[in-house]
Structures are given as structure tokens and as C-alpha cells.
Amino acid sequence: MTRSLAVFFLSIYFCPIFADVIQNCDKKNICSSIETENEETSVYLQAKNLIPGTHITVYTAIEGSKIETEPPNPISFVLTDSEKKKVLTFKKKENTEAPISIAVLAVAYYGDLSAKHDETYVYTLPYEGKSWISVGYNSGEEHKGGGAYSLDFVLPEGTPLLAARDGVVVETEDKFTEGKRDPKLIDKANRIVIEHSDGTVAIYGHLKSKGVFVKPGEKVIAGQKIGLSGNTGFSTGPHLHFEVYKPEENRKKKSFATIFKTESEEKEYLSEENAYWTPDGKTPPGFPITNTEEFCVSHSIPDPDKTSSCPDKLQTKRKFYLSIPIYKSGPYTFKAEFIHLKTKKVSFTFQEKIPGGINFEAWEIQPILSAGKYKIKFYLEEKEIGERSLQILP
């Protein structure tokens, strides 16, 4: 989980005129101050380092039981430049004696409170290669409420990350090194935050330490390499947290479902337990559910996360494993026919159900095949998807 906000307080005592104006600023240089002019006391906000063309939404609340504000608070304001802006005025309630203790609470979110997400925009997948979605929309512990339309992409550490949409970088962080399921790390994920032309904001979270290739103020285009995936902050394993949101009133945010162009050349919403990759014009056997070129028949189970070669020869009287990747969640009915090339007959038929929610399956097969050369035909849902040659040695 990643967060992108700033919180700061300004505590003062009410008196008719403030001779010295004191600004209280957070580490992002979002500042508040209270000033009195012509017997009117006001709260000012200033985003001193605001990048031109971007927005900061600041939730503002005056805490004090003996005052009245105009407009009534709490309320959120959008800052669009670095100039100091008067956001509200306040006064003592009648029959109230000074001094009065008050405090200003300000919570700042990147993005525009009035943003309207462009629902027709087609996003670029935010990584190179292929990735699985481990946690999708409205799922898990974190993808709820304001972050309901977030996606977690499973990626090995160091995978190049790409900008999913044109925009301006408004914040980066890459100093953190630790990642595990610990609430103390919830705000300690390396990240890149990019504002889009419609005022929405994208968060790329859990990046590798020193894995940020862009800086605040930089304009990026969709598909541009911006960093490296990692496993920092509150995390259960290496992945990329991707989310597009806009700020809302009352310290809330609203996330948006996003359309991507995927390997099928379709424009689609992504779903949990499925794999996606950038269109490359190739449609391997079994596409898009699997790839028969990656099927493996061997005496040991290969590591699905590592590239390895599979033999085309096995020893007789030894059990072996048939393993396959699954890119789109099932369930499916899988069948393999082992055809002896000399007799032209099916010597053995293997059939199993592939359950939903998995991305790799390996079956143990007992040594029932005699020595000889075989052709294996593969089927999914009774449809032939490919074949493989195999030799069983004496």
C-alpha cells in the first residue's frame, strides 16, 4: 500500500492583530499561516514548490470550539500555483473572551478535487514483459474504499517499469530498502506519483531502492521507462502497486478502473489471477490461455519463475512431470494424448481439471509408457492447442 499525502498542524492563540506572520510548512513546502488585516483574520495556504500545470488539493480544518469560519469548515481547496491563497476567515463567537486556542489541520493530496477521469483513455501496461495480477479490484485488505480500483502486478525485483499514461511527475521517493507485512512500513514504500492532463494522479508503488529514473517536474510519455519494480514498504512480496485516483472532500480519494491495451490487442479492464503483457503481434499455440511452447515434460518439476530447457528424451521406468503455464484463470479441462509413432495408436491419455486462480500446474505421471518415440497432443476444453515430440529411452 502506498500513500501520497502530507499532514501538518498550525497551533496559535487568537488575538485581535498578529504582528508577526508565521508559516508552518511540511517537508513538501505546503504551508499554512494565519494573518490579520483590517480586523479580519484569515487562513492562508501556499504550495511553495508546486510544479506548474499540476494541482494540490488541501483538506483544511480549524480546530477550536469558540470560533466561526467563513466558509464553514472543514473544506478542501485546490492550489494551482505557488502563490499564497486566502482560503477562509474566522472570528470569535459572541461573548467569548480571548485568548482562544485554535489549530489548523491541513492534509494535502496530489491531484485536482474537480478532476473528471477520462474513461475512454487506453493505458499502457506499466511494465516490460508479462505479469500476473495478484490482487485486483475490490479485493484483499488494501483494495477497498478509496483504493478499491487498485492493481497489484507480480513482478520480479528490478523489472523495468513504464509510464502508463502521459503526465508530469509530482513526487518521487527511492530511499527505502525494507519491505514486509508490517504496519510500521505502510508509508515507507518507494514510489513515483504522476499527474495526468485530466487532473487525476497515478501512483506506482513499492519500487526498488534507487530504482526511480525520473524526478519531480519531468514530463513523461506513455511507455517511457520510469523505474524498477521492488518490494519496499508494507508488502507481502515483490510487486507493483498501480492506482489512478482523484482527491475528494473529507480527506478521501476516489480510484478509477482503467482500460489497458493487452497482448490480445483488445482494450480491456484487467482482472485478478490473470496474466497480461504488451501486444507483440505473436500468438503462440494455446494463446491467450497458455503457450504450448513452454510446456515441459521432465523427470523434475521446473521452476516456473526461471527460464529452463526441457528435454525431449526421458528414461523408461521413471516417473515424470508434465507442467504448463496458465495465463488466464480457469477452470479448464486439460487433456494430453501420448501417441506411439510406430503403432500410430494412443498409448496413454491423461486428463485433469485445471482449477481457477493458479498460474502454473505440474502433474506427476507414473512410468507406464514403453520405450519408443511419441507425439503428444494437447487439448484445452476439447480443443487441440498444440503438440510435442517425446522419446522414451530403454
Side-chain angles (χ1 to χ4, degrees):
M1 178 180 181
T2 58
R3 294 180 177 177
S4 183
L5 55 88
V7 183
F8 55 94
F9 296 89
L10 175 63
S11 297
I12 59 92
Y13 283 94
F14 181 92
C15 53
I17 296 178
F18 292 92
D20 298 318
V21 175
I22 300 176
Q23 278 194 328
N24 191 30
C25 303
D26 76 332
K27 63 182 181 180
K28 297 181 178 67
N29 255 341
I30 311 268
C31 307
S32 69
S33 61
I34 295 179
E35 303 178 23
T36 298
E37 183 179 5
N38 298 326
E39 298 185 354
E40 179 181 82
T41 305
S42 305
V43 174
Y44 288 81
L45 295 176
Q46 183 177 18
K48 290 187 175 181
N49 292 340
L50 185 64
I51 296 164
T54 66
H55 307 77
I56 286 279
T57 297
V58 186
Y59 167 90
T60 309
I62 306 296
E63 298 182 349
S65 59
K66 300 178 180 180
I67 60 169
E68 297 175 340
T69 67
E70 179 59 40
N73 81 103
I75 190 170
S76 294
F77 301 93
V78 180
L79 303 181
T80 58
D81 54 46
S82 59
E83 298 299 318
K84 187 164 60 175
K85 180 179 180 181
K86 181 167 68 175
V87 295
L88 54 80
T89 61
F90 65 89
K91 63 181 179 179
K92 293 183 298 181
K93 291 183 178 179
E94 293 184 4
N95 303 319
T96 298
E97 296 180 0
I100 298 170
S101 178
I102 67 170
V104 176
L105 166 67
V107 184
Y109 291 84
Y110 293 107
D112 188 351
L113 183 68
S114 61
K116 293 183 179 179
H117 181 241
D118 182 356
E119 303 291 343
T120 66
Y121 187 88
V122 180
Y123 287 76
T124 298
L125 289 170
Y127 50 83
E128 289 186 354
K130 184 189 288 98
S131 177
W132 304 88
I133 295 181
S134 59
V135 185
Y137 296 154
N138 294 289
S139 182
E141 297 179 5
E142 304 299 336
H143 297 193
K144 303 290 185 182
Y149 292 102
S150 305
L151 296 168
D152 283 352
F153 295 98
V154 178
L155 292 169
E157 289 193 52
T159 301
L161 300 180
L162 311 177
R165 182 176 176 179
D166 299 356
V168 179
V169 179
V170 292
E171 183 189 48
T172 61
E173 179 60 79
D174 69 352
K175 68 182 179 183
F176 299 115
T177 59
E178 187 177 9
K180 59 183 177 180
R181 192 179 181 82
D182 184 345
K184 294 180 181 178
L185 300 178
I186 202 162
D187 290 319
K188 293 180 171 57
N190 296 326
R191 60 192 176 273
I192 297 172
V193 184
I194 297 175
E195 182 172 335
H196 307 136
S197 59
D198 60 8
T200 61
V201 171
I203 298 177
Y204 304 73
H206 304 290
L207 275 65
K208 186 176 181 179
S209 176
K210 308 304 178 184
V212 173
F213 299 160
V214 291
K215 57 187 178 182
E218 185 175 340
K219 293 182 179 180
V220 297
I221 60 174
Q224 177 180 333
K225 188 181 296 186
I226 58 175
L228 299 174
S229 66
N231 184 35
T232 55
F234 184 80
S235 175
T236 56
H239 75 284
L240 169 69
H241 176 94
F242 178 80
E243 175 183 343
V244 175
Y245 79 90
K246 68 163 228 172
E248 291 203 310
E249 292 281 3
N250 298 318
R251 302 174 64 176
K252 296 181 179 180
K253 65 177 181 179
K254 178 181 180 180
S255 54
F256 299 96
T258 46
I259 301 172
F260 290 87
K261 189 173 184 179
T262 66
E263 75 289 337
S264 63
E265 297 286 351
E266 296 293 329
K267 302 171 184 177
E268 58 183 312
Y269 293 103
L270 311 187
S271 56
E272 191 172 297
E273 299 173 344
N274 287 315
Y276 300 93
W277 59 98
T278 302
D280 57 10
K282 300 176 182 178
T283 55
F287 178 92
I289 296 171
T290 186
N291 181 357
T292 60
E293 295 173 353
E294 296 180 6
F295 284 19
C296 186
V297 183
S298 63
H299 288 304
S300 60
I301 302 175
D303 185 340
D305 295 324
K306 296 181 180 178
T307 301
S308 58
S309 60
C310 278
D312 55 7
K313 298 178 181 180
L314 298 178
Q315 297 291 326
T316 187
K317 298 182 181 180
R318 287 185 61 187
K319 67 181 180 182
F320 59 91
Y321 297 89
L322 170 59
S323 58
I324 69 173
I326 302 295
Y327 300 146
K328 304 299 179 186
S329 183
Y332 304 107
T333 298
F334 173 80
K335 183 171 71 173
E337 291 180 342
F338 292 75
I339 303 170
H340 198 289
L341 293 183
K342 185 175 182 180
T343 66
K344 309 295 184 182
K345 294 182 179 180
V346 176
S347 298
F348 171 62
T349 298
F350 174 83
Q351 183 166 312
E352 284 287 343
K353 276 283 189 182
I354 299 175
I358 66 170
N359 55 36
F360 177 81
E361 183 68 283
W363 297 282
E364 180 181 305
I365 299 177
Q366 296 303 314
I368 60 176
L369 296 173
S370 59
K373 294 183 178 180
Y374 292 83
K375 176 171 64 177
I376 312 173
K377 286 189 174 183
F378 302 111
Y379 300 83
L380 270 179
E381 299 294 288
E382 301 300 327
K383 179 181 179 181
E384 185 176 342
I385 59 172
E387 60 182 49
R388 173 75 57 82
S389 296
L390 177 67
Q391 183 175 4
I392 304 294
L393 300 175

